[in-house]
């Protein structure tokens, strides 16, 4: 396959956009993971432990760079993962929708299908990334962590939380692509073809990201617990969260996750579309 193949270009554009967004927003992901894995004994009854408390705690105990703990596995997951997502998305779209205009339902299937492929392929690195961020494991490197998990827990542990991950990522991407594509389609043509088009697209992405993040937040909390405590099954994690924290526990970390996922997705799609347009390809 030639390096000029459109799918290869989509992979490169996606990987670059993923690199930029991961570097910028990793602190939000770390704060989200810490919030979701707080022990019940550490939580005040009023639930006032929030983003600012966790942020200050991390900076105080792990210095400013501690906010980027887990950035190595984040890069290892996001750079190829976003590339796989966008190249799969582009290939499926070109095959089934050569005119480039899928409807709302088709957009859900398109985004969800692309995310399913990327999610399954990159799940082992996602597990390691979650463990780096939670602060309970002392891995020296991504490769060392992969080796340690395989030796002590077995290779199956690298696919812990598969169901919860798919229940989170597939709907998120499907819902995101649906809202994003519909919002873009509703923009006046004079805006879509103007120099301010990237800003308009970014705004559409913000709206789509907020809605998709809130809908899929409970699955993200369950996924985090299963990957940090691989002895838990998905159903057991749901029961554990409910018994320990009640219904509000399923929305712990919603603010930093919504901020991160929304900004990352908006930035990734904006950079991806601009790079594809620069290469003369329709995204």
């Amino acid at each position: 396959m030639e390096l000029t193949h459109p799918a290869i270009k989509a992979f490169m554009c996606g990987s670059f956009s993923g690199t930029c967004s991961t570097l910028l927003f990793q602190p939000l992901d770390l704060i989200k993971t810490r919030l979701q894995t707080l022990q019940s004994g550490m939580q005040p009854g009023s639930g006032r432990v929030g983003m600012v408390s966790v942020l200050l705690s991390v900076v105080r105990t792990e210095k400013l760079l501690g906010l980027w703990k887990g950035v190595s596995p984040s890069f290892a997951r996001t750079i190829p993962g976003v590339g796989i997502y966008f190249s799969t998305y582009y290939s499926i779209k070109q095959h089934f929708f050569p005119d480039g205009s899928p409807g709302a339902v088709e957009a859900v299937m398109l985004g969800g299908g692309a995310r399913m492929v990327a999610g399954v392929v990159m799940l082992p690195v996602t597990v390691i990334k979650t463990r780096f961020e939670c602060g309970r494991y002392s891995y020296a490197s991504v490769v060392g962590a992969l080796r340690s998990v395989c030796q002590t827990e077995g290779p199956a542990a690298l696919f812990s939380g598969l169901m919860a991950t798919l229940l989170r990522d597939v709907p998120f991407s499907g819902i995101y692509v649906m809202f994003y594509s519909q919002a873009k389609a509703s923009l006046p043509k004079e805006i879509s073809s103007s120099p301010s088009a990237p800003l308009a697209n970014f705004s559409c992405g913000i709206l789509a990201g907020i809605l998709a993040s809130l809908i899929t937040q409970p699955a993200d909390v369950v996924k985090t617990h299963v990957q940090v405590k691989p002895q838990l099954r998905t159903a057991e994690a749901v029961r554990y969260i409910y018994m320990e924290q009640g219904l509000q526990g399923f929305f712990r970390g919603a603010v930093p996750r919504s901020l991160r996922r929304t900004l990352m997705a908006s930035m990734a799609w904006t950079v991806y579309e601009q790079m594809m347009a620069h290469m003369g390809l329709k995204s």
Side-chain angles (χ1 to χ4, degrees):
M1 185 179 292
E2 298 180 2
L3 291 179
T4 54
H5 191 282
I8 297 293
K9 292 182 178 181
F11 180 90
M12 294 170 59
C13 293
S15 296
F16 180 76
S17 67
T19 301
C20 297
S21 55
T22 297
L23 186 61
L24 285 174
F25 305 123
Q26 174 64 20
L28 288 172
D29 203 26
L30 181 135
I31 292 171
K32 180 267 297 184
T33 300
R34 295 290 176 92
L35 278 171
Q36 291 178 351
T37 54
L38 281 174
Q39 297 297 316
S40 57
M42 298 170 60
Q43 300 169 21
S46 60
R48 284 191 291 266
V49 174
M51 285 182 60
V52 176
S53 300
V54 174
L55 172 65
L56 294 176
S57 175
V58 172
V59 173
R60 184 167 54 249
T61 59
E62 304 174 45
K63 308 304 180 184
L64 187 62
L65 288 179
L67 293 171
W68 275 267
K69 189 172 185 178
V71 73
S72 295
S74 286
F75 278 139
R77 183 195 68 162
T78 303
I79 295 175
V82 177
I84 291 170
Y85 171 77
F86 278 118
S87 60
T88 304
Y89 172 87
Y90 178 85
S91 299
I92 296 175
K93 186 178 180 182
Q94 293 302 307
H95 181 76
F96 291 102
F97 310 104
D99 60 348
S101 56
V105 176
E106 290 87 353
V108 171
M109 301 298 290
L110 184 61
R115 178 56 60 191
M116 181 179 293
V117 173
V120 172
V121 172
M122 300 308 301
L123 185 61
V125 184
T126 302
V127 172
I128 298 304
K129 168 186 168 295
T130 302
R131 293 190 177 193
F132 262 92
E133 292 171 350
C134 76
R136 299 183 188 178
Y137 296 84
S138 301
Y139 299 129
S141 65
V142 175
V143 174
L146 289 169
R147 186 184 303 113
S148 174
V149 172
C150 287
Q151 291 174 348
T152 60
E153 303 173 44
L158 293 173
F159 288 88
S160 60
L162 173 61
M163 185 59 65
T165 299
L166 294 180
L167 288 174
R168 176 198 67 170
D169 288 351
V170 173
F172 177 90
S173 291
I175 294 168
Y176 182 91
V177 172
M178 178 189 71
F179 282 126
Y180 180 68
S181 60
Q182 295 301 303
K184 277 184 58 182
S186 67
L187 292 174
K189 290 187 177 180
E190 54 268 24
I191 294 180
S192 302
S193 57
S194 71
S196 61
L199 180 60
N201 293 344
F202 189 84
S203 300
C204 292
I206 292 290
L207 174 63
I210 291 173
L211 294 172
S213 293
L214 292 177
I215 292 171
T216 58
Q217 177 64 22
D220 183 68
V221 177
V222 174
K223 185 271 311 180
T224 298
H225 277 270
V226 172
Q227 291 180 345
V228 171
K229 303 173 182 176
Q231 70 273 17
L232 290 178
R233 296 184 181 274
T234 299
E236 294 171 338
V238 171
R239 190 180 307 112
Y240 171 82
I241 295 166
Y242 180 75
M243 295 299 294
E244 288 287 319
Q245 303 167 15
L247 289 176
Q248 66 268 27
F250 292 100
F251 291 90
R252 185 171 292 277
V255 174
R257 175 175 180 262
S258 295
L259 283 172
R260 175 186 173 275
R261 288 302 298 264
T262 297
L263 292 172
M264 279 193 70
S266 301
M267 182 175 182
W269 274 90
T270 301
V271 172
Y272 166 75
E273 290 183 331
Q274 291 303 303
M275 290 186 68
M276 291 290 280
H278 184 71
M279 293 182 178
L281 297 172
K282 187 173 182 179
S283 58

